[in-house]
């Protein structure tokens, strides 16, 4: 993986509201073009390394369909250019930009801003 | 605000609530239901026996009424209506004032006035409470009869079979389902029922139910008797008109509240709908006309008088698994001058009858037994008066292909109702596609709600979609997805010819965008089928199961299945599995493929478990892959006194030969040692049955939801030939099938069908036989146990953890105990 020493910013609706950037793990800990689950207190956050697009995304690990803690194991991809994740259970897909469910009427998921500094991945929380 | 009170909270009452709220928020709605639960789906009541809970069956949870601003009182029987003061009164003494009253009281089971109906062990079949009592009593019974061989009676009889009772059906008429079937159809049906364990007694007039406190037998007019431990009466329905009658509304002599075309009773402020109503001398014992009545009333209460209820046809389908019966339009040809055409195949248990009009232009109705797949389209043809083809008999003779159905859809008018649950017409669907750009079934489902109820209309909706898109000139090319404008077969050739080894390389060169959950696993499968390299190297393009080389289960844990070729295992290895399963607290279950599945492993435990399994000499069973599952076998000539060949040795050999081979979908095989076929080889993708002279090879069978018998490819071939033909067959399948297509579907769609396949595989008509064999040999030479590789490679092993930043395991997992083993908590209850 390329070294990422500069601060990269990511499209996220509320990255300006971030009160706390949590240092999650090294960039190299994540699989390329895939995700892993980060523990933040008692929360589970799915973080995705979309290396093909040199982008990072984060969202809740819980799939709202059957309330399963699995989204980090989902496959990522795009729909008309919009990054998304597909739940491994029943392939409901969610936008990684807005959290909206793209192929069914499930509740939206929470997405979090991500930044990379000095080879570390940070997730932004508002509180 | 206008106050509408509904008496009864059954299916039509619920529908009325839904429709009223859709039309207006401006009406106060109060519902009084006698049953303790909110309205539930009575039509699917029998699924209660198959594991559905009372909650699963609810039309909507209690909270829904609250959200909709509807006041719901359950467990309240309305006992009085004071029409002068416009009030009702319940048995608990609640009184309430209405502006309009709707009686949706449904019906009760009709119980004939026989001696003994009050004995213990005699039941009716209408409510969840009835079912609970039947289940309870059934625990201490061995035999049970159903009085009445109609639609409901047969459903009840099947339920008794499911309760492990010896089931009988007693019908007064000389045939079953007398109101829907003719003699020929009923005979085939009786035969089918016998096959699923129901004994049929027709032409039996029941004289008396015998017993002192509890039932012991049924006694018939002909002097015979049938000893039984319990009885379910299903002799018809009786509309619940008692409150209506008591307050002086006009009722029918045989029961039921009289209504006009506006569903108005003799009091203009009171309506009646559903099974309680009598319209034009008819009680409609089906849910669809009840829903239509609800629609008419909802409109009137909101000021739209344009729609009236003008009757409804009584077409029905029997909902018994494996027993297809449909009756539609005028099933008996009672229309003057109608001409019947019938087709009967007693060997396969199929009977089809259509009645056409005297001028041979229209379908009037008919009967389908044994194969009701044309029910929907025929029903539409009757309802919409579709012109018949020149040879109407072609409709029922020969097997209907997909194309016929497509043509059928084309001839339907735009007003034809396609989805009856949501009342969606062909025109609605077309407008979504043409004017709003819907391109897929999913989009149609989302925008119109079609197919979201019972789902029975999905094939028709699919046909409408295909037809409309073609009409619009949208090329319905079977491209993989938005990222690849190729079919799977195109991509197979590209990858092979250009020697492409990774997903990214293929996407860069031949695709657009960044991939998705459709093309990634499809390409992963192709790469595996072509190069057979360890898939863990490109983990993130694999489907979940392939990504972690295990099957994900409810709750997010995984199951582990080591290979047990041919179902043969030593006691030592059995003990090893037992020891390991116990150590990691795994739930164990013998699978249908003759091996052992261990459930409940957390992701970080997988490499640990496999490390131990590999030490004991096990390999991956590839239960997670689109690849060879198992070769099932029966014990064959080594032990069995009937066996003519050594089926187990052959099965072990074949399973080891194709293990790890990846294909468009999973595939299974079996080897039987004689024609008794104990290994069920004819339900497999390829099946081998021993003969005196060698082996018979069958291909493209399938079990599962759409069972299909395998077709005989060759007979009496020797072992080497048999293996060579399987090599070719599998390789041809791998190269040409669409993604996620089982061999059975692949064959069904193949031009030229079985004959073409035989030409290619056996006669080598394309001259590719040798190539196919070589390609197979190359794949087999590349086999490596994926789990061994992962266990031995630290970088791959490192991916197996729940949290990337913490050693903890997932603490949201929860289990319950079931028969001494652990189970995930039901995900509907979380
Ligand atoms: C086992 C079974 C299988 C069926 N299968 C099919 C099928 O495959 N296809 C099909 O179309 N139809 C089927 N039906 C018929 C279908 O269920 C009925 O047509 C439908 O339920 C009728 O709806 P309804 O609202 O008129 O009556 P119901 O659903 O019976 O509701 C009436 C409700 O009113 C209550 N009630 C009665 N009197 C009062 C009162 N005075 N005060 C308060 N509450 C009162 C009753 O307790 C009941 O809950 C089946 C029925 C059964 C029992
Ligand atoms: S649990 Fe995620 S799609 Fe069903």
């Amino acid at each position: 993986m390329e070294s990422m020493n500069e601060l990269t910013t990511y499209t996220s609706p509320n990255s300006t509201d971030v009160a706390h950037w949590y240092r999650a793990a090294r960039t190299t800990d994540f699989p390329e073009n895939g995700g892993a689950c980060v523990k933040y207190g008692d929360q589970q956050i799915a973080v995705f390394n979309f290396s093909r697009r040199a982008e990072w995304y984060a969202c809740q690990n819980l799939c709202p369909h059957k309330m399963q803690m699995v989204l980090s194991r989902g496959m990522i991809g795009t729909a008309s250019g919009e990054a998304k994740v597909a739940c491994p259970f029943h392939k409901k897909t969610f936008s990684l930009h807005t959290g909206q469910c793209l192929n069914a009427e499930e509740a939206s998921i929470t997405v979090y801003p991500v930044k990379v500094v000095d080879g570390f991945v940070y997730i932004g929380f508002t509180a | 605000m206008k106050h509408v009170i509904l008496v009864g909270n059954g299916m039509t009452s619920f529908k009325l609530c839904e429709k009223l709220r859709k039309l207006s928020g401006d009406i106060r709605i109060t519902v009084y239901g006698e049953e303790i639960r909110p309205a539930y789906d009575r039509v699917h009541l029998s699924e209660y026996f198959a594991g559905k809970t009372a909650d699963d069956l609810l039309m909507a949870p209690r909270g829904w009424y609250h959200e909709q601003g509807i006041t719901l009182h359950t467990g309240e029987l309305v006992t009085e209506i004071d029409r002068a003061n416009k009030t009702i009164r319940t048995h608990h003494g609640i009184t309430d004032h209405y502006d309009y009253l709707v009686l949706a009281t449904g019906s009760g089971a009709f119980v004939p006035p026989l001696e003994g109906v009050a004995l213990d062990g005699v039941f009716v079949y209408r409510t969840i409470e009835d079912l609970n009592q039947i289940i309870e009593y059934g625990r201490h019974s061995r035999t049970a009869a159903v009085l009445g061989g109609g639609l409901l009676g047969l459903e009840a009889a099947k339920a008794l079979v499911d309760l492990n009772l010896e089931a009988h059906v007693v019908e007064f008429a000389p045939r079953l389902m007398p109101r829907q079937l003719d003699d020929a159809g009923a005979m085939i049906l009786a035969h089918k029922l016998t096959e699923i364990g129901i004994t049929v007694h027709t032409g039996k007039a029941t004289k008396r139910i015998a017993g002192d406190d509890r039932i012991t037998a049924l006694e018939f007019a002909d002097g015979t008797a049938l000893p039984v431990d319990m009885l379910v009466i299903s002799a018809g329905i009786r509309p619940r008109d008692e409150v209506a009658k008591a307050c002086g509304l006009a009722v029918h002599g045989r029961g039921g509240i009289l209504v006009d075309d506006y569903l108005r009773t003799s009091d203009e402020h009171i309506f009646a709908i559903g099974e309680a109503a009598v319209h034009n001398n008819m009680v409609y014992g089906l849910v669809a006309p009840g829903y239509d009545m609800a629609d008419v009333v909802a409109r009137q209460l909101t000021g739209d008088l344009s729609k009236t209820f003008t009757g409804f046809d009584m077409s029905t389908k029997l909902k018994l698994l494996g027993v297809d019966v449909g009756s539609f339009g005028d099933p008996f040809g009672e229309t003057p001058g109608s001409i019947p055409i019938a087709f009967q195949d007693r060997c396969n248990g199929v009977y089809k009858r259509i009645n056409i009009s005297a001028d041979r232009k229209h379908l009037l109705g008919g009967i389908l037994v044994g194969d009701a797949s044309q029910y929907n389209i025929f029903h539409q043809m009757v309802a919409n008066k579709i012109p018949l083809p020149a040879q109407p008999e072609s409709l029922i003779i020969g097997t209907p292909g997909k194309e016929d159905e497509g043509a059928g859809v084309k001839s339907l008018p735009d007003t034809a109702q396609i989805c009856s649950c949501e009342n969606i017409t062909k025109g609605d669907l077309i407008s979504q596609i043409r004017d709003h750009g819907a391109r897929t079934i999913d989009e149609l489902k989302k925008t119109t709600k079609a197919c979201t109820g019972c789902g029975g209309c999905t094939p028709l909706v699919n046909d409408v979609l295909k037809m409309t898109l073609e009409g619009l000139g949208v090329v319905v090319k079977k491209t993989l997805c938005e990222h690849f404008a190729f079919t799977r077969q195109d991509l197979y050739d590209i990858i092979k010819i250009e020697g492409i080894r990774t997903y990214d390389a293929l996407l860069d060169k031949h695709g657009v965008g960044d991939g998705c959950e459709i093309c990634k696993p499809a390409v992963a499968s192709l790469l595996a089928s072509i190069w057979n390299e360890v898939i863990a190297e490109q983990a993130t393009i694999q489907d979940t199961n392939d990504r972690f080389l295990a099957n994900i289960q409810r709750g997010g844990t995984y199951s582990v299945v080591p290979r047990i070729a041919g179902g043969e295992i030593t006691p030592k290895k059995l003990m090893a599995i037992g020891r390991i399963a116990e150590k990691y607290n795994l739930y164990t279950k013998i699978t249908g493929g003759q091996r052992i599945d261990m459930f409940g492993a957390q992701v970080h435990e997988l490499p640990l478990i496999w490390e131990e399994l590999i030490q004991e000499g096990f390999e991956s069973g590839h239960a997670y892959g689109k690849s060879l599952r198992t070769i099932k076998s029966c014990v064959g000539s080594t032990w069995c006194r009937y066996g003519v060949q050594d089926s187990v040795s052959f099965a072990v050999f074949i399973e080891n030969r194709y293990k790890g081979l990846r294909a468009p979908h999973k595939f299974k095989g079996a080897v039987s040692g004689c024609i008794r076929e104990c290994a069920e080889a004819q339900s497999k993708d390829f099946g081998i049955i021993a003969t005196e002279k060698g082996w018979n090879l069958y291909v493209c069978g399938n079990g599962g939801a759409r069972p299909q018998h395998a077709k005989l490819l060759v007979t009496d071939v020797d072992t080497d030939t048999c293996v060579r033909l399987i090599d070719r067959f599998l390789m041809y399948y791998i190269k040409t099938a669409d993604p996620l297509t089982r061999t059975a579907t692949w064959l069904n769609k193949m031009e030229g069908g079985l004959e073409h396949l035989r030409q290619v595989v056996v006669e080598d008509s394309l001259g590719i036989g040798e190539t196919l064999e070589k390609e197979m040999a190359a794949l087999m030479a590349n086999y490596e146990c994926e789990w061994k590789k992962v266990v031995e490679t630290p970088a791959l092993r490192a991916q197996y953890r729940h949290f990337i930043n913490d050693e903890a395991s997932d603490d949201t997992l929860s289990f319950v105990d079931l028969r001494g083993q652990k189970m995930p908590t039901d995900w509907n209850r979380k």
Side-chain angles (χ1 to χ4, degrees), chain B residues 346-587:
Chain B
R346 283 206 206 173
C347 176
N348 290 308
V350 175
Y351 174 72
K352 297 181 181 187
R353 164 182 176 158
I354 52 176
N355 306 308
I356 64 172
S357 59
D359 59 7
R360 293 160 199 260
K361 291 223 170 84
H362 300 294
L363 187 59
L364 298 170
I367 294 167
L368 299 169
V369 181
D371 169 13
S373 56
Q374 289 157 296
Y375 173 82
N376 279 330
I377 195 77
F378 282 179
H379 185 195
Q380 291 290 335
M381 288 178 74
V382 174
N384 297 292
K385 293 214 164 33
I386 309 292
L388 281 172
Q391 268 104 31
E393 66 277 13
S394 66
L395 288 176
I396 51 168
I397 298 173
T399 33
K402 260 251 156 303
E403 260 153 57
D404 302 334
E405 279 177 39
V409 161
K410 205 165 271 175
S411 57
L412 296 179
D414 283 1
T415 51
Q417 190 192 50
I418 302 281
C419 171
S420 48
C421 300
E422 293 293 331
N423 189 13
I424 312 281
T425 63
K426 179 179 163 192
D428 297 337
L429 293 172
I430 293 182
S431 119
Q432 268 308 322
I433 302 165
R434 200 182 43 211
D435 310 330
H436 303 282
R439 288 291 175 268
T440 62
I441 276 270
D442 278 345
E443 284 167 21
L444 279 179
K445 276 189 196 171
K446 205 168 165 177
T447 50
T448 65
K449 287 210 148 105
C451 318
T452 56
C454 72
C457 60
T458 316
L460 281 180
V461 173
N462 221 331
D463 286 342
V464 173
L465 176 67
K466 223 173 101 196
M467 179 202 81
T468 315
L469 287 178
E470 273 165 13
L472 288 174
V474 177
V475 188
V476 204
K477 194 177 171 213
K478 277 192 291 174
T479 60
L480 212 49
C481 64
E482 65 174 77
H483 305 105
F484 286 100
F486 297 98
T487 64
R488 180 180 181 275
Q489 207 177 334
D490 295 338
L491 288 176
Y492 183 98
D493 294 335
I494 293 173
I495 292 172
K496 177 121 208 207
I497 293 163
E498 302 187 8
I500 291 173
R501 301 261 167 175
T502 68
Y503 172 80
D504 275 341
L506 184 72
L507 186 59
D508 287 341
K509 239 177 133 183
H510 298 283
V512 294
D514 301 301
C516 68
E517 74 283 359
I518 296 168
C519 58
K520 284 181 176 183
V523 171
S525 147
L526 280 170
L527 290 168
S529 289
I530 297 171
W531 310 120
N532 206 8
E533 290 170 341
V534 170
I535 62 169
E537 313 258 351
Q538 295 186 62
T540 55
I541 60 168
Q542 313 290 342
D543 251 331
T544 332
N545 288 348
D546 267 338
R547 174 155 179 208
F548 292 100
L549 303 177
N551 297 52
I552 196 166
Q553 307 290 356
R554 286 185 173 206
T557 61
Y558 289 87
S559 65
V560 171
V561 190
R563 186 165 300 289
I564 299 178
E568 185 186 75
I569 185 165
T570 61
K572 185 160 174 287
K573 279 183 144 181
L574 260 182
M575 286 190 277
I577 290 189
R579 177 183 63 75
I580 296 167
E582 193 161 51
K583 173 165 171 191
Y584 292 94
N585 186 20
L586 304 176
Y587 165 88

Side-chain angles (χ1 to χ4, degrees), chain A residues 37 39 44 68 76 78 80 88, chain B residues 482 515 520 544 555 804-805 810:
Chain A
C37 181
K39 185 168 159 64
Q44 300 196 11
Q68 300 284 299
I76 52 173
T78 53
S80 316
Chain B
E482 65 174 77
K520 284 181 176 183
T544 332
I804 196 169
N805 60 336
D810 183 3

Side-chain angles (χ1 to χ4, degrees), chain B residues 51-67:
Chain B
K52 281 236 167 129
T53 64
D55 280 352
D56 292 338
L57 288 173
L58 288 185
M59 303 293 292
R62 205 175 272 276
W64 177 87
Y65 296 86
H66 186 70
E67 279 160 30

Side-chain angles (χ1 to χ4, degrees), chain B residues 689-701:
Chain B
I689 302 179
T691 67
E692 296 283 349
K693 296 182 203 139
W695 309 99
N696 285 352
L697 175 59
Y698 293 79
V699 292
C700 301

Side-chain angles (χ1 to χ4, degrees), chain B residues 6-15 31-46 73 75-81 89-91 103-108 125-127 130-131 151-153 155-156 237 240-244 273-277 284-291 293 315-319:
Chain B
L6 277 59
V7 183
N9 183 219
M11 298 190 74
T12 60
S13 160
F14 169 78
K15 206 39 147 200
V31 186
Y32 292 88
E34 172 193 17
E35 293 187 69
I36 52 169
R37 300 181 175 78
Y40 52 88
D41 185 353
R42 213 179 294 287
V43 169
H44 293 104
L45 193 61
S46 297
H73 300 273
E76 288 288 342
L77 178 72
V78 173
T79 47
E80 263 176 66
I81 300 170
R89 188 184 173 84
T90 71
H91 72 313
L103 303 173
T105 46
S107 65
Y125 196 78
R126 174 98 199 157
T127 64
D130 295 335
L131 266 57
L151 212 58
L152 277 187
E155 236 185 271
I237 57 172
R240 300 267 308 258
D241 59 7
E242 54 285 0
V243 250
I273 60 174
E275 289 188 347
Y284 291 92
L286 295 174
V287 74
Y291 281 3
M293 293 180 187
S315 305
T316 41
K317 253 175 110 170
L318 182 66
K319 326 178 283 284

